[in-house]
Protein backbone atom coordinates (compact mmCIF):
# COMPACT_ATOMS: atom_id res chain seq x y z
CA UNK A 1 0.00 0.00 0.00
CA UNK A 2 1.26 3.51 -0.73
CA UNK A 3 2.24 5.07 2.58
CA UNK A 4 4.41 8.13 1.97
CA UNK A 5 3.38 11.77 1.66
CA UNK A 6 4.84 14.24 -0.83
CA UNK A 7 4.74 17.96 -0.20
CA UNK A 8 5.55 20.43 -2.96
CA UNK A 9 6.18 24.03 -1.92
CA UNK A 10 7.00 26.70 -4.49
CA UNK A 11 7.63 30.10 -2.98
CA UNK A 12 8.97 33.31 -4.43
CA UNK A 13 12.68 32.71 -3.90
CA UNK A 14 12.84 28.93 -3.51
CA UNK A 15 11.10 25.64 -4.29
CA UNK A 16 11.25 22.36 -2.45
CA UNK A 17 9.83 18.85 -2.46
CA UNK A 18 9.84 16.68 0.65
CA UNK A 19 8.76 13.13 1.36
CA UNK A 20 7.33 12.33 4.80
CA UNK A 21 6.28 9.16 6.55
CA UNK A 22 2.96 8.87 8.36
CA UNK A 23 4.64 9.88 11.61
CA UNK A 24 5.82 13.06 9.83
CA UNK A 25 9.43 12.04 9.64
CA UNK A 26 11.23 13.62 6.69
CA UNK A 27 12.91 10.90 4.61
CA UNK A 28 13.80 12.71 1.40
CA UNK A 29 14.09 16.33 0.36
CA UNK A 30 15.33 18.52 -2.47
CA UNK A 31 15.26 22.24 -2.94
CA UNK A 32 16.37 24.86 -5.42
CA UNK A 33 16.60 28.65 -5.45
CA UNK A 34 14.33 30.62 -7.75
CA UNK A 35 15.34 33.85 -9.41
CA UNK A 36 13.07 36.66 -10.48
CA UNK A 37 13.51 38.99 -13.40
CA UNK A 38 12.88 42.72 -13.01
CA UNK A 39 12.53 44.15 -16.53
CA UNK A 40 11.39 47.42 -14.97
CA UNK A 41 11.75 48.68 -11.38
CA UNK A 42 8.13 47.85 -10.54
CA UNK A 43 8.11 44.46 -12.30
CA UNK A 44 8.76 40.99 -10.88
CA UNK A 45 8.51 37.97 -13.17
CA UNK A 46 9.54 34.33 -13.39
CA UNK A 47 9.61 31.73 -16.16
CA UNK A 48 6.76 29.33 -15.37
CA UNK A 49 7.93 26.72 -17.88
CA UNK A 50 11.39 26.60 -16.28
CA UNK A 51 9.75 26.49 -12.87
CA UNK A 52 7.70 23.44 -13.89
CA UNK A 53 10.89 21.68 -14.97
CA UNK A 54 12.43 22.57 -11.61
CA UNK A 55 9.46 21.06 -9.77
CA UNK A 56 9.74 17.84 -11.74
CA UNK A 57 13.44 17.54 -10.98
CA UNK A 58 12.91 18.29 -7.29
CA UNK A 59 10.22 15.63 -6.97
CA UNK A 60 12.49 13.06 -8.66
CA UNK A 61 15.42 14.01 -6.41
CA UNK A 62 13.33 13.90 -3.21
CA UNK A 63 12.00 10.44 -4.12
CA UNK A 64 15.50 9.20 -4.91
CA UNK A 65 16.84 10.46 -1.59
CA UNK A 66 13.92 8.81 0.20
CA UNK A 67 14.79 5.56 -1.55
CA UNK A 68 11.24 5.13 -2.78
CA UNK A 69 9.32 4.98 -6.02
CA UNK A 70 6.48 7.27 -7.11
CA UNK A 71 4.09 4.36 -6.54
CA UNK A 72 4.91 4.53 -2.83
CA UNK A 73 3.18 7.92 -2.52
CA UNK A 74 -0.27 8.00 -0.95
CA UNK A 75 -0.84 11.65 -1.79
CA UNK A 76 0.63 14.86 -3.11
CA UNK A 77 0.00 18.18 -1.37
CA UNK A 78 0.74 21.40 -3.24
CA UNK A 79 1.35 24.85 -1.79
CA UNK A 80 2.61 27.92 -3.61
CA UNK A 81 3.19 31.64 -3.45
CA UNK A 82 -0.08 33.51 -3.71
CA UNK A 83 -1.64 35.87 -6.22
CA UNK A 84 0.76 35.17 -9.06
CA UNK A 85 -0.51 35.29 -12.66
CA UNK A 86 0.21 32.48 -15.12
CA UNK A 87 -1.43 32.32 -18.55
CA UNK A 88 -0.89 29.18 -20.58
CA UNK A 89 -2.04 27.36 -23.68
CA UNK A 90 -4.54 24.66 -22.79
CA UNK A 91 -3.46 22.21 -25.47
CA UNK A 92 0.26 22.20 -24.63
CA UNK A 93 0.43 23.52 -21.08
CA UNK A 94 3.08 25.99 -22.19
CA UNK A 95 2.96 29.52 -20.73
CA UNK A 96 2.37 32.31 -23.24
CA UNK A 97 3.78 35.07 -21.02
CA UNK A 98 6.15 35.40 -18.06
CA UNK A 99 4.59 34.61 -14.69
CA UNK A 100 3.81 37.85 -12.87
CA UNK A 101 4.60 37.57 -9.16
CA UNK A 102 2.60 38.83 -6.20
CA UNK A 103 5.19 41.52 -5.43
CA UNK A 104 5.02 42.96 -8.95
CA UNK A 105 3.54 46.46 -8.75
CA UNK A 106 2.48 47.05 -12.36
CA UNK A 107 -1.13 47.01 -11.15
CA UNK A 108 -0.97 50.07 -8.89
CA UNK A 109 -2.93 52.36 -11.22
CA UNK A 110 -5.36 49.64 -12.25
CA UNK A 111 -6.04 48.76 -8.60
CA UNK A 112 -6.91 52.39 -7.89
CA UNK A 113 -9.29 52.42 -10.86
CA UNK A 114 -10.97 49.22 -9.74
CA UNK A 115 -11.40 50.52 -6.19
CA UNK A 116 -12.96 53.71 -7.58
CA UNK A 117 -15.40 51.46 -9.47
CA UNK A 118 -16.37 49.67 -6.26
CA UNK A 119 -14.08 46.63 -6.44
CA UNK A 120 -11.70 46.32 -3.44
CA UNK A 121 -8.46 45.27 -5.15
CA UNK A 122 -4.96 45.78 -3.76
CA UNK A 123 -2.03 46.44 -6.15
CA UNK A 124 -0.37 43.11 -5.29
CA UNK A 125 -3.54 41.11 -6.11
CA UNK A 126 -3.74 39.19 -9.37
CA UNK A 127 -6.92 41.08 -10.28
CA UNK A 128 -4.86 44.25 -10.67
CA UNK A 129 -2.45 42.60 -13.13
CA UNK A 130 -4.27 39.90 -15.09
CA UNK A 131 -5.66 42.26 -17.74
CA UNK A 132 -2.28 43.80 -18.50
CA UNK A 133 -0.64 40.37 -18.64
CA UNK A 134 -3.27 39.03 -21.04
CA UNK A 135 -3.24 42.15 -23.21
CA UNK A 136 0.51 41.72 -23.70
CA UNK A 137 -0.14 38.30 -25.31
CA UNK A 138 -0.68 38.61 -29.09
CA UNK A 139 -4.40 38.22 -29.75
CA UNK A 140 -4.75 37.31 -26.06
CA UNK A 141 -8.34 38.41 -25.49
CA UNK A 142 -9.61 36.55 -28.54
CA UNK A 143 -7.68 33.40 -27.64
CA UNK A 144 -9.00 33.50 -24.07
CA UNK A 145 -12.58 33.94 -25.32
CA UNK A 146 -12.15 31.00 -27.72
CA UNK A 147 -10.92 28.74 -24.92
CA UNK A 148 -7.38 28.41 -26.22
CA UNK A 149 -5.84 29.99 -23.11
CA UNK A 150 -6.25 29.37 -19.42
CA UNK A 151 -5.08 31.41 -16.47
CA UNK A 152 -4.52 30.67 -12.82
CA UNK A 153 -2.28 31.33 -9.89
CA UNK A 154 0.83 29.18 -9.67
CA UNK A 155 -0.93 26.34 -7.83
CA UNK A 156 -3.42 26.08 -10.69
CA UNK A 157 -0.68 25.92 -13.30
CA UNK A 158 1.22 23.21 -11.42
CA UNK A 159 -1.92 21.09 -11.03
CA UNK A 160 -2.55 21.47 -14.76
CA UNK A 161 0.94 20.18 -15.56
CA UNK A 162 0.94 17.45 -12.89
CA UNK A 163 -2.49 16.11 -13.87
CA UNK A 164 -2.28 16.51 -17.61
CA UNK A 165 -4.93 19.18 -17.92
CA UNK A 166 -7.03 19.64 -14.76
CA UNK A 167 -7.82 23.38 -14.35
CA UNK A 168 -8.65 24.07 -10.69
CA UNK A 169 -7.74 26.20 -7.71
CA UNK A 170 -8.89 26.24 -4.10
CA UNK A 171 -10.48 29.08 -2.13
CA UNK A 172 -7.36 29.91 -0.11
CA UNK A 173 -5.44 30.60 -3.32
CA UNK A 174 -8.37 32.25 -5.08
CA UNK A 175 -9.07 34.70 -2.25
CA UNK A 176 -5.68 36.39 -2.56
CA UNK A 177 -6.28 36.99 -6.25
CA UNK A 178 -9.21 39.32 -5.30
CA UNK A 179 -11.41 37.47 -7.81
CA UNK A 180 -13.28 35.40 -5.22
CA UNK A 181 -16.68 36.65 -4.13
CA UNK A 182 -16.01 38.14 -0.67
CA UNK A 183 -19.63 37.51 0.39
CA UNK A 184 -19.87 33.99 -1.02
CA UNK A 185 -16.36 32.49 -1.18
CA UNK A 186 -17.63 29.33 -2.88
CA UNK A 187 -17.90 31.25 -6.16
CA UNK A 188 -16.03 33.70 -8.35
CA UNK A 189 -16.90 37.40 -8.29
CA UNK A 190 -18.58 37.46 -11.68
CA UNK A 191 -19.31 41.19 -11.42
CA UNK A 192 -15.57 41.97 -11.31
CA UNK A 193 -14.78 39.45 -14.03
CA UNK A 194 -17.48 40.93 -16.27
CA UNK A 195 -16.27 44.46 -15.47
CA UNK A 196 -12.86 43.48 -16.82
CA UNK A 197 -14.36 41.88 -19.92
CA UNK A 198 -12.90 38.46 -19.16
CA UNK A 199 -14.62 35.14 -19.97
CA UNK A 200 -15.52 33.05 -16.92
CA UNK A 201 -14.24 29.90 -18.65
CA UNK A 202 -10.78 31.51 -18.68
CA UNK A 203 -10.79 30.98 -14.89
CA UNK A 204 -10.08 27.71 -13.09
CA UNK A 205 -12.88 25.78 -11.40
CA UNK A 206 -13.02 26.21 -7.64
CA UNK A 207 -12.22 23.05 -5.70
CA UNK A 208 -12.01 22.07 -2.05
CA UNK A 209 -8.74 22.66 -0.24
CA UNK A 210 -8.44 18.97 0.60
CA UNK A 211 -9.86 15.91 -1.11
CA UNK A 212 -9.15 13.76 -4.12
CA UNK A 213 -8.78 16.79 -6.32
CA UNK A 214 -6.86 15.37 -9.28
CA UNK A 215 -4.41 12.62 -10.17
CA UNK A 216 -0.83 13.01 -11.32
CA UNK A 217 0.19 11.43 -14.60
CA UNK A 218 2.94 8.93 -15.20
CA UNK A 219 4.51 11.46 -17.55
CA UNK A 220 4.61 14.12 -14.82
CA UNK A 221 6.11 12.25 -11.85
CA UNK A 222 6.25 8.58 -12.79
CA UNK A 223 2.96 7.35 -11.31
CA UNK A 224 -0.71 8.11 -10.90
CA UNK A 225 -0.97 9.59 -7.40
CA UNK A 226 -3.93 11.47 -5.94
CA UNK A 227 -3.43 15.19 -5.39
CA UNK A 228 -4.91 15.52 -1.91
CA UNK A 229 -4.51 19.24 -1.27
CA UNK A 230 -4.10 22.56 -3.01
CA UNK A 231 -3.48 25.36 -0.54
CA UNK A 232 -1.81 28.76 -0.37
CA UNK A 233 1.57 28.91 1.35
CA UNK A 234 0.73 30.85 4.49
CA UNK A 235 -2.36 28.74 5.05
CA UNK A 236 -0.30 25.57 4.66
CA UNK A 237 1.86 26.81 7.52
CA UNK A 238 -1.23 26.89 9.74
CA UNK A 239 -1.69 23.15 9.09
CA UNK A 240 1.93 22.53 10.10
CA UNK A 241 1.57 24.48 13.34
CA UNK A 242 -1.76 22.85 14.20
CA UNK A 243 -3.48 26.24 14.31
CA UNK A 244 -6.12 25.80 11.61
CA UNK A 245 -9.00 25.98 14.10
CA UNK A 246 -7.45 28.22 16.73
CA UNK A 247 -4.14 30.02 17.08
CA UNK A 248 -1.55 32.04 15.21
CA UNK A 249 1.91 31.80 13.67
CA UNK A 250 4.41 33.89 11.73
CA UNK A 251 6.30 32.73 8.66
CA UNK A 252 9.43 34.54 7.45
CA UNK A 253 10.25 33.84 3.85
CA UNK A 254 10.63 36.39 1.06
CA UNK A 255 7.93 38.26 2.95
CA UNK A 256 6.96 37.91 6.60
CA UNK A 257 3.36 37.03 7.41
CA UNK A 258 1.50 36.68 10.67
CA UNK A 259 -1.73 34.70 10.36
CA UNK A 260 -4.39 34.07 12.99
CA UNK A 261 -7.38 31.75 12.67
CA UNK A 262 -10.77 33.49 12.92
CA UNK A 263 -13.12 30.53 12.49
CA UNK A 264 -16.15 30.80 10.22
CA UNK A 265 -16.10 34.59 10.11
CA UNK A 266 -13.93 36.88 7.98
CA UNK A 267 -12.32 39.77 9.87
CA UNK A 268 -12.75 43.12 8.13
CA UNK A 269 -12.25 45.40 11.14
CA UNK A 270 -9.00 44.74 13.01
CA UNK A 271 -6.66 46.28 10.44
CA UNK A 272 -5.45 42.85 9.35
CA UNK A 273 -6.42 41.43 5.96
CA UNK A 274 -9.15 38.76 5.96
CA UNK A 275 -8.14 35.55 4.23
CA UNK A 276 -9.71 32.21 3.45
CA UNK A 277 -7.81 29.60 5.45
CA UNK A 278 -9.43 26.56 3.84
CA UNK A 279 -12.65 25.56 2.16
CA UNK A 280 -14.39 22.19 1.99
CA UNK A 281 -17.93 21.76 0.78
CA UNK A 282 -20.15 24.53 2.07
CA UNK A 283 -17.80 25.38 4.94
CA UNK A 284 -15.17 28.05 4.62
CA UNK A 285 -12.77 28.74 7.48
CA UNK A 286 -11.11 32.13 7.68
CA UNK A 287 -7.96 33.75 8.99
CA UNK A 288 -6.62 37.28 9.24
CA UNK A 289 -3.10 38.24 8.38
CA UNK A 290 -0.60 41.04 8.41
CA UNK A 291 2.30 41.20 5.97
CA UNK A 292 5.86 42.47 6.13
CA UNK A 293 6.32 42.67 2.37
CA UNK A 294 10.12 42.58 2.56
CA UNK A 295 11.51 40.11 5.09
CA UNK A 296 14.05 37.51 3.94
CA UNK A 297 14.57 39.41 0.70
CA UNK A 298 16.07 42.26 2.73
CA UNK A 299 19.06 40.00 3.32
CA UNK A 300 19.33 39.32 -0.40
CA UNK A 301 19.13 43.08 -1.00
CA UNK A 302 21.95 43.65 1.48
CA UNK A 303 24.11 41.06 -0.28
CA UNK A 304 23.37 42.77 -3.58
CA UNK A 305 24.41 46.07 -2.03
CA UNK A 306 27.78 44.57 -1.10
CA UNK A 307 27.19 44.44 2.65
CA UNK A 308 28.14 40.75 2.72
CA UNK A 309 29.05 37.97 0.30
CA UNK A 310 26.09 35.77 1.25
CA UNK A 311 22.96 35.66 3.38
CA UNK A 312 24.74 33.28 5.76
CA UNK A 313 27.62 35.72 6.17
CA UNK A 314 25.19 38.55 6.86
CA UNK A 315 23.44 36.54 9.58
CA UNK A 316 26.80 35.65 11.11
CA UNK A 317 27.85 39.31 11.05
CA UNK A 318 24.64 40.31 12.84
CA UNK A 319 25.50 37.94 15.67
CA UNK A 320 28.78 39.78 16.26
CA UNK A 321 27.07 43.10 17.10
CA UNK A 322 25.90 44.02 20.60
CA UNK A 323 23.58 46.68 19.12
CA UNK A 324 22.81 48.36 15.81
CA UNK A 325 24.78 51.48 16.70
CA UNK A 326 21.89 53.83 16.00
CA UNK A 327 21.28 52.46 12.50
CA UNK A 328 17.63 52.20 11.48
CA UNK A 329 16.32 50.61 8.28
CA UNK A 330 12.92 50.69 6.64
CA UNK A 331 12.39 47.27 4.96
CA UNK A 332 10.34 48.36 1.96
CA UNK A 333 11.64 46.86 -1.25
CA UNK A 334 8.03 46.53 -2.41
CA UNK A 335 6.38 49.13 -0.25
CA UNK A 336 5.14 48.72 3.29
CA UNK A 337 2.46 46.18 4.10
CA UNK A 338 0.29 46.02 7.22
CA UNK A 339 -0.81 48.40 8.68
CA UNK A 340 0.40 51.04 6.20
CA UNK A 341 -0.48 49.37 2.88
CA UNK A 342 1.75 51.88 1.13
CA UNK A 343 3.07 50.54 -2.16
CA UNK A 344 5.10 53.71 -2.77
CA UNK A 345 7.33 53.41 0.32
CA UNK A 346 10.98 52.66 -0.36
CA UNK A 347 13.93 51.28 1.57
CA UNK A 348 15.53 53.85 3.86
CA UNK A 349 18.75 53.49 5.85
CA UNK A 350 19.41 56.09 8.52
CA UNK A 351 21.94 56.68 11.26
CA UNK A 352 24.94 55.04 9.61
CA UNK A 353 28.19 56.92 10.22
CA UNK A 354 31.88 56.42 9.56
CA UNK A 355 32.04 54.51 12.82
CA UNK A 356 29.22 52.07 12.00
CA UNK A 357 30.49 48.51 11.68
CA UNK A 358 29.24 46.02 9.08
CA UNK A 359 27.98 43.88 11.97
CA UNK A 360 25.81 46.74 13.26
CA UNK A 361 24.30 47.31 9.82
CA UNK A 362 23.62 43.57 9.49
CA UNK A 363 21.87 43.54 12.86
CA UNK A 364 19.83 46.60 11.87
CA UNK A 365 18.53 44.66 8.85
CA UNK A 366 17.32 41.82 11.05
CA UNK A 367 15.84 44.31 13.50
CA UNK A 368 13.95 46.07 10.71
CA UNK A 369 12.03 42.91 9.87
CA UNK A 370 11.46 42.15 13.55
CA UNK A 371 10.19 45.67 14.23
CA UNK A 372 7.72 45.41 11.36
CA UNK A 373 6.43 42.14 12.76
CA UNK A 374 6.09 43.81 16.18
CA UNK A 375 3.73 46.34 14.63
CA UNK A 376 1.60 43.53 13.24
CA UNK A 377 1.62 41.59 16.51
CA UNK A 378 0.45 44.70 18.37
CA UNK A 379 -2.40 45.13 15.89
CA UNK A 380 -3.33 41.46 16.22
CA UNK A 381 -3.37 41.46 20.01
CA UNK A 382 -5.51 44.61 20.01
CA UNK A 383 -8.05 43.31 17.50
CA UNK A 384 -8.30 39.64 18.45
CA UNK A 385 -8.71 37.60 21.64
CA UNK A 386 -5.03 36.77 21.99
CA UNK A 387 -3.31 36.44 25.34
CA UNK A 388 -0.89 39.42 25.42
CA UNK A 389 1.83 37.02 26.60
CA UNK A 390 1.06 34.16 24.23
CA UNK A 391 4.19 32.72 22.57
CA UNK A 392 4.58 33.37 18.86
CA UNK A 393 5.22 30.20 16.82
CA UNK A 394 7.51 30.91 13.85
CA UNK A 395 8.92 29.18 10.79
CA UNK A 396 10.49 30.01 7.44
CA UNK A 397 13.98 30.44 6.06
CA UNK A 398 14.86 33.55 8.05
CA UNK A 399 14.21 31.67 11.31
CA UNK A 400 17.25 29.49 10.63
CA UNK A 401 19.12 32.40 12.21
CA UNK A 402 19.21 32.13 15.99
CA UNK A 403 20.17 35.80 16.06
CA UNK A 404 17.01 36.76 14.21
CA UNK A 405 14.77 34.60 16.41
CA UNK A 406 16.33 36.06 19.56
CA UNK A 407 16.00 39.57 18.15
CA UNK A 408 12.33 38.95 17.43
CA UNK A 409 11.72 37.61 20.94
CA UNK A 410 13.46 40.61 22.50
CA UNK A 411 11.63 43.21 20.43
CA UNK A 412 8.29 41.52 21.01
CA UNK A 413 8.92 41.03 24.69
CA UNK A 414 7.42 37.55 24.37
CA UNK A 415 8.51 33.96 23.86
CA UNK A 416 9.20 32.86 20.27
CA UNK A 417 8.94 29.16 19.40
CA UNK A 418 10.69 27.96 16.24
CA UNK A 419 8.97 25.06 14.47
CA UNK A 420 11.07 21.85 14.35
CA UNK A 421 10.55 21.84 10.56
CA UNK A 422 11.92 25.21 9.46
CA UNK A 423 10.18 24.94 6.08
CA UNK A 424 6.84 24.30 7.73
CA UNK A 425 4.77 25.20 4.67
CA UNK A 426 5.87 22.09 2.80
CA UNK A 427 5.04 19.96 5.84
CA UNK A 428 1.63 21.65 5.98
CA UNK A 429 1.03 20.81 2.32
CA UNK A 430 1.87 17.16 2.98
CA UNK A 431 -0.41 17.09 6.03
CA UNK A 432 -3.26 18.63 4.09
CA UNK A 433 -2.68 16.14 1.28
CA UNK A 434 -2.93 13.25 3.73
CA UNK A 435 -6.19 14.65 5.07
CA UNK A 436 -7.51 14.90 1.53
CA UNK A 437 -7.09 11.21 0.79
CA UNK A 438 -8.05 9.97 4.27
CA UNK A 439 -4.59 8.89 5.41
CA UNK A 440 -4.16 9.10 9.17
CA UNK A 441 -0.95 10.76 10.29
CA UNK A 442 0.61 11.84 13.56
CA UNK A 443 -0.18 15.23 15.04
CA UNK A 444 2.38 17.86 13.99
CA UNK A 445 5.03 18.49 16.62
CA UNK A 446 4.37 21.91 18.15
CA UNK A 447 7.39 22.40 20.37
CA UNK A 448 10.70 23.46 18.93
CA UNK A 449 13.55 25.76 19.93
CA UNK A 450 12.53 28.40 22.46
CA UNK A 451 13.77 31.99 22.48
CA UNK A 452 13.08 33.87 25.71
CA UNK A 453 13.06 37.69 25.62
CA UNK A 454 15.99 39.27 27.45
CA UNK A 455 14.36 42.71 27.80
CA UNK A 456 11.02 43.63 29.35
CA UNK A 457 7.94 44.74 27.47
CA UNK A 458 8.38 48.42 28.33
CA UNK A 459 11.88 48.58 26.87
CA UNK A 460 10.76 46.64 23.81
CA UNK A 461 7.97 49.15 23.22
CA UNK A 462 10.31 52.11 23.61
CA UNK A 463 12.71 50.62 21.07
CA UNK A 464 9.86 50.12 18.62
CA UNK A 465 8.72 53.73 19.00
CA UNK A 466 12.26 55.02 18.48
CA UNK A 467 12.63 52.94 15.31
CA UNK A 468 9.26 54.15 14.00
CA UNK A 469 10.25 57.76 14.64
CA UNK A 470 13.54 57.22 12.81
CA UNK A 471 12.41 55.43 9.64
CA UNK A 472 8.61 55.30 9.45
CA UNK A 473 7.14 58.55 10.75
CA UNK A 474 9.47 60.80 8.74
CA UNK A 475 7.90 61.35 5.30
CA UNK A 476 11.17 61.84 3.40
CA UNK A 477 12.73 58.79 1.74
Amino acid sequence: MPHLLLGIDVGTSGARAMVFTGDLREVGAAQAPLTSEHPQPDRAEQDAAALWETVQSLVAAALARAGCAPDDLASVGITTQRSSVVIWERSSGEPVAPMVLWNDLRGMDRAAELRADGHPVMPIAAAAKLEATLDAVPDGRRRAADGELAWGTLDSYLVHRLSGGRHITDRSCAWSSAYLDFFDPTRWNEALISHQGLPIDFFPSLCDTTGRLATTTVEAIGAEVPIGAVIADQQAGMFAHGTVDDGWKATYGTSGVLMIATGDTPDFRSGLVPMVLAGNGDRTSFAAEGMVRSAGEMLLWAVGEGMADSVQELATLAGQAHDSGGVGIRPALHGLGTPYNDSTAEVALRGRTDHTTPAQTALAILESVAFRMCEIVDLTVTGHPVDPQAPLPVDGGLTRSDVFCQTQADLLGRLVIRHPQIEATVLGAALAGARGVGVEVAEPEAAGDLFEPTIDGHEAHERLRAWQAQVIDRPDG
Side-chain angles (χ1 to χ4, degrees), residues 84-429:
S84 48
V85 175
V86 189
I87 301 176
W88 66 92
E89 190 176 62
R90 289 185 188 274
S91 60
S92 66
E94 290 299 320
V96 295
M99 178 171 71
V100 177
L101 302 184
W102 65 272
N103 52 5
D104 182 289
L105 295 177
R106 73 186 66 191
M108 285 183 63
D109 291 342
R110 185 54 176 149
E113 293 171 355
L114 291 170
R115 289 196 297 272
D117 291 336
H119 301 286
V121 174
M122 296 177 63
I124 62 174
K129 295 171 278 194
L130 177 57
E131 293 166 283
T133 308
L134 179 61
D135 290 339
V137 176
D139 209 17
R141 293 264 180 171
R142 194 274 305 165
R143 296 185 69 192
D146 289 350
E148 295 178 21
L149 303 181
W151 100 274
T153 45
L154 179 55
D155 62 288
S156 184
Y157 176 66
L158 291 181
V159 171
H160 187 278
R161 298 306 298 258
L162 284 163
S163 66
R166 192 98 160 91
H167 189 203
I168 58 174
T169 191
D170 98 304
R171 284 168 241 175
S172 72
C173 298
W175 181 275
S176 294
S177 75
Y179 278 118
L180 204 63
D181 189 319
F182 290 156
F183 301 101
D184 180 4
T186 64
R187 56 181 293 169
W188 292 113
N189 182 346
E190 295 190 23
L192 172 57
I193 294 169
S194 176
H195 179 77
Q196 293 185 328
L198 299 171
I200 191 67
D201 291 342
F202 183 47
F203 285 67
S205 299
L206 292 169
C207 67
D208 287 346
T209 301
T210 59
R212 292 182 177 269
L213 309 177
T215 303
T216 66
T217 65
V218 174
E219 292 76 17
I221 68 167
E224 294 184 351
V225 181
I227 296 174
V230 174
I231 186 168
D233 54 2
Q234 299 299 328
Q235 289 85 332
M238 296 289 277
F239 275 81
H241 284 275
T243 52
V244 172
D245 298 316
D246 180 36
W248 66 347
K249 61 86 187 176
T251 298
Y252 302 83
T254 301
S255 61
V257 176
L258 184 144
M259 180 171 277
I260 182 170
T262 62
D264 295 333
T265 307
D267 163 42
F268 289 97
R269 294 177 294 180
S270 71
L272 301 181
V273 178
M275 304 295 294
V276 167
L277 179 48
N280 285 84
D282 294 333
R283 180 173 185 258
T284 303
S285 58
F286 291 89
E289 73 171 30
M291 176 179 284
V292 182
R293 290 189 186 175
S294 301
E297 70 173 350
M298 284 300 298
L299 279 70
L300 295 173
W301 168 81
V303 171
E305 292 291 312
M307 298 181 193
D309 290 334
S310 67
V311 167
Q312 292 75 18
E313 180 183 328
L314 194 80
T316 301
L317 271 175
Q320 298 170 2
H322 297 294
D323 57 58
S324 58
V327 176
I329 294 175
R330 181 197 301 150
L333 289 168
H334 302 284
L336 285 172
T338 314
Y340 307 100
N341 298 319
D342 179 2
S343 296
T344 66
E346 298 177 343
V347 171
L349 191 158
R350 297 201 175 98
R352 189 160 65 170
T353 71
D354 291 341
H355 303 290
T356 301
T357 67
Q360 288 173 323
T361 303
L363 180 57
I365 292 169
L366 298 187
E367 286 182 343
S368 73
V369 176
F371 277 130
R372 285 286 294 114
M373 187 59 73
C374 289
E375 294 181 305
I376 295 169
V377 168
D378 286 349
L379 195 64
T380 305
V381 171
T382 300
H384 295 271
V386 178
D387 182 342
Q389 298 304 315
L392 179 66
V394 301
D395 68 88
L398 190 50
T399 66
R400 294 183 190 280
S401 166
D402 289 355
V403 175
F404 173 75
C405 291
Q406 186 60 57
T407 298
Q408 186 69 89
D410 287 342
L411 297 180
L412 283 173
R414 73 174 66 230
L415 180 68
V416 164
I417 304 176
R418 181 168 57 194
H419 198 285
Q421 175 57 257
I422 295 293
E423 303 296 350
T425 52
V426 69
L427 172 62

